[in-house]
Structure formats: structure tokens, C-alpha cells
Amino acid sequence: MSEPIVSLRDLRRTFEQGGQRIEVLRGVNLDIMPGEIVALLGPSGSGKSTMLQAVGLLEGGFEGSIAIAGERAEKLASDERTRIRREHLGFVYQFHHLLPDFNATENVVMPQMVAGVDRASATVRAEQLLTDLGLGHRLTHRPNQLSGGEQQRVAVARALANQPTLVLADEPTGNLDETTSDTVLGQFLELVRGEGSAALIATHNERLASRMDRIVRLHDGVLD
Ligand code: ADP
Ligand code: MG
């Protein structure tokens, strides 16, 4: 049996707001195995984004333990957390955060070059990923020349560009209409499965969640 790619133990996060303490995560435990696609379901405000920020090593302030690919990450210095993010993680957000002055291919090339891949190889991979996502005819369009669904597909290609062991997605189709959302999510899942990555995908949509390998539900600060 291989070891989990993510292991959370007794993860806690409390916000202090105007003298009030809000306990958002109150002891979350979760293991995700390599290649497993997990839906993180919960209503708005239940703490999904907070939990993804913890797993993405994007913010401090958490208690408990977070292991990524067997490495205990919660106490590491920020440059070490950055290294783990680069080596293992890919991110898709609700809004695409693409670079506006660069075309679709360049947006997918960029993170590969940051990771040390040469431009020619990075371009081949970018074009392949975009073509797999049905964007072969939109390679040189800039974000503002693409529809919302197309922008999110570029964001998916960018997240997968460096072959992450784990993709973290925060309501990746949350700002798309239902039909587009179904299509984009289907292509996203197919690509993640094809690449063999694991994924943790936050959504409040039961129908979308049912297409993943496993569902975990966040409420009252814990998973059930
Ligand atoms: P979800 O993504 O499930 O909608 P969030 O993780 O964004 O939920 O937020 C969970 C709760 O934590 C909300 O009540 C929110 O107001 C609160 N919260 C999130 N971030 C902060 C913050 N930086 N300061 C204070 N409260 C926060
Ligand atoms: Mg959220």
C-alpha cells in the first residue's frame, strides 16, 4: 500500500474578528491517496477555502499537522513550503487569475519555465494540454478573448503543466453556467485521471461532486 499524498490530522483554524472567535476548522482529519479525486462538499461559509489554503501551504495560523507526500509541512520555513508547492501542487481557483498580457499557450508555458523546463518543451506540453481540453483552436488567444469556460480550461492546463501529484481546486466551475460547468468539469476530471494526479476539489454542487471518486463533507468544522 502506498502512502497518502495528503494527510491532515486534527487541523484547526480559528479567526478572531471584532473580538469574536470563529472556529472554522475544528479538527479535520483526511488522507488522500495518490491518484484519488476527492470532492470537498459544504455550503458557502463552511470553511472549504480555508481548508484548501491549509493544504496548499498558502497561509499560516493553523494548528494540527499537514503532511504532503510524507513531508510534515506545517512548521517549515516559507522557502521550504514554496519548494513543496512547486514539486507537488497545482492550483485552480474560481476565477482564472491568468496573466492578461499573455496568450493561452504562454500562460501554460510560464510555470514550466519557472520550474526549469526549456521553452520549446514547455510549449509542446502546453499545446498538448490545451488541445486535450478542446482548446486547440484558441492557443494564441489572450484571456480577454476567451469565454469564461475557455478561461477556466486554460487555468486547468496551467495547474497541470508541471505534473503535480495533487491538484487543489476551489470551486473551479463556480462562476460558469450549468452546461459549461458540466463540460469543463468533465474535461478537468478526465485530464487529472489521465495524468494520474490526485485532486481535492471544493464545490457546493452535489451533482458535480458525484462525478468524483469520493465525497467528504465539511460541516460544523469537521469532515464526516
Ligand atoms: P467557504 O469557502 O466554504 O465558503 P471559507 O473558508 O471562505 O468558506 O470561510 C469560512 C468562514 O471563515 C466564514 O465564516 C468566513 O467568514 C470566515 N473567514 C474566512 N477567512 C477569514 C479571515 N481572513 N478573517 C476572518 N474570518 C474569515
Ligand atoms: Mg470558498
Side-chain angles (χ1 to χ4, degrees):
M1 189 85 178
S2 53
E3 69 174 336
I5 176 64
V6 178
S7 201
L8 305 178
R9 289 293 175 272
D10 201 25
L11 184 70
R12 292 168 184 274
R13 180 70 165 109
T14 301
F15 292 109
E16 308 271 349
Q17 188 69 39
Q20 249 200 331
R21 284 167 56 84
I22 313 169
E23 293 185 308
V24 176
L25 304 179
R26 306 194 308 153
V28 167
N29 297 299
L30 179 66
D31 284 336
I32 300 177
M33 298 308 287
E36 190 180 26
I37 300 179
V38 177
L40 174 59
L41 257 181
S44 178
S46 60
K48 300 182 298 299
S49 294
T50 302
M51 196 177 136
L52 285 171
Q53 277 163 4
V55 179
L57 312 180
L58 291 166
E59 283 198 42
F62 293 91
E63 290 171 59
S65 78
I66 305 170
I68 307 286
E71 266 193 275
R72 284 286 293 274
E74 73 276 2
K75 298 231 160 55
L76 294 176
S78 100
D79 59 334
E80 285 290 292
R81 291 205 306 269
T82 302
R83 175 185 58 78
I84 294 179
R85 274 205 301 277
R86 284 232 183 94
E87 285 177 3
H88 293 293
L89 305 180
F91 297 87
V92 187
Y93 303 96
Q94 181 168 1
F95 299 99
H96 58 78
H97 298 300
L98 297 171
L99 298 169
D101 298 331
F102 293 88
N103 69 33
T105 301
E106 290 163 344
N107 267 281
V108 184
V109 163
M110 206 71 73
Q112 298 180 75
M113 290 185 70
V114 170
V117 178
D118 67 87
R119 182 184 291 273
S121 311
T123 303
V124 170
R125 174 148 174 89
E127 291 180 352
Q128 185 61 57
L129 285 167
L130 291 166
T131 302
D132 288 347
L133 289 160
L135 289 178
H137 59 315
R138 294 285 185 273
L139 297 176
T140 60
H141 283 56
R142 284 194 304 279
N144 69 1
Q145 300 170 318
L146 297 170
S147 71
E150 289 169 340
Q151 290 167 347
Q152 280 308 78
R153 284 185 272 167
V154 178
V156 165
R158 179 186 53 185
L160 285 156
N162 289 326
Q163 296 176 286
T165 26
L166 174 70
V167 180
L168 298 172
D170 196 352
E171 310 211 33
T173 64
N175 66 335
L176 305 177
D177 66 69
E178 189 172 315
T179 312
T180 310
S181 174
D182 281 8
T183 309
V184 171
L185 186 84
Q187 289 170 322
F188 178 25
L189 295 179
E190 196 176 319
L191 192 59
V192 169
R193 288 209 169 91
E195 294 275 318
S197 299
L200 179 61
I201 303 173
T203 179
H204 53 254
N205 186 319
E206 293 268 352
R207 191 174 44 81
L208 295 182
S210 69
R211 298 170 65 178
M212 304 178 204
D213 298 336
R214 176 158 65 107
I215 295 176
V216 295
R217 288 167 202 275
L218 190 53
H219 70 78
D220 292 337
V222 295
L223 294 179
D224 56 20

